[in-house]
Amino acid sequence: MKNQRKEKIQEIYDASKQNYGAPKITRELRKAGEIISERTDITYIWTCDGSVYLTSIMDLYSCKIIAWTLSQNMEVSCVIETINKAKARRNTDLPLILYSDRGSQYVSKAYREAAQKFQLSCSHKGYPYDNACIESFHALIKREWLNRFKIRDYTH
């Protein structure tokens, strides 16, 4: 089932001449009767060998990415790795807000434990605009960099 879904996602992406991102692919899948959520803090990066996933944390004050992780799956461990990178780069003694969507990684016990020094905030159900800043960054990096090249695999 998981591989079939990946194939459908790839077909929709290819049919859009590699322009559609997660929101439009999700809409197309739902039109076809798929029950699927759009994961908006982790973005897919298409490669010849399948998808890899980018998890990013942005400082909204400076609009800079302070931590990111590229992974071959969407497991919570990748999100936790990104949080740990952000902690190493920033002073977490001050009350900081860590914003996410409602994906399974962000509601897990492991996530809450890794982010215990942060105030957690998440998007409203069905309201993607809450996540506009990171979505905009992911769209920009795809449009201006990633979609310009044929990426072979995770290591490439």
Side-chain angles (χ1 to χ4, degrees), residues 12 30 51 116 121 129 136 150 156:
I12 293 167
R30 287 179 181 156
S51 298
Q116 64 185 351
S121 179
Y129 307 105
S136 178
K150 191 168 198 147
H156 183 217

Side-chain angles (χ1 to χ4, degrees), residues 101-114:
D101 67 7
R102 294 176 180 263
S104 61
Q105 300 87 348
Y106 304 106
V107 295
S108 71
K109 182 180 178 184
Y111 173 78
R112 288 191 311 273
E113 288 173 1

Side-chain angles (χ1 to χ4, degrees), residues 20-79:
Y20 280 11
K24 288 183 179 177
I25 291 172
T26 301
R27 279 195 296 273
E28 291 299 315
L29 288 169
R30 287 179 181 156
K31 283 182 197 174
E34 288 280 332
I35 299 170
I36 189 168
S37 66
E38 175 192 334
R39 312 238 177 192
T40 55
D41 281 283
I42 299 174
T43 195
Y44 292 81
I45 297 173
W46 306 102
T47 73
C48 298
D49 196 35
S51 298
V52 296
Y53 307 93
L54 176 64
T55 305
S56 310
I57 295 179
M58 178 185 280
D59 178 332
L60 290 181
Y61 180 78
S62 66
C63 292
K64 292 183 179 178
I65 299 299
I66 58 170
W68 60 273
T69 304
L70 190 64
S71 60
Q72 294 179 301
N73 58 53
M74 291 197 310
E75 293 177 4
V76 71
S77 60
C78 304
V79 174

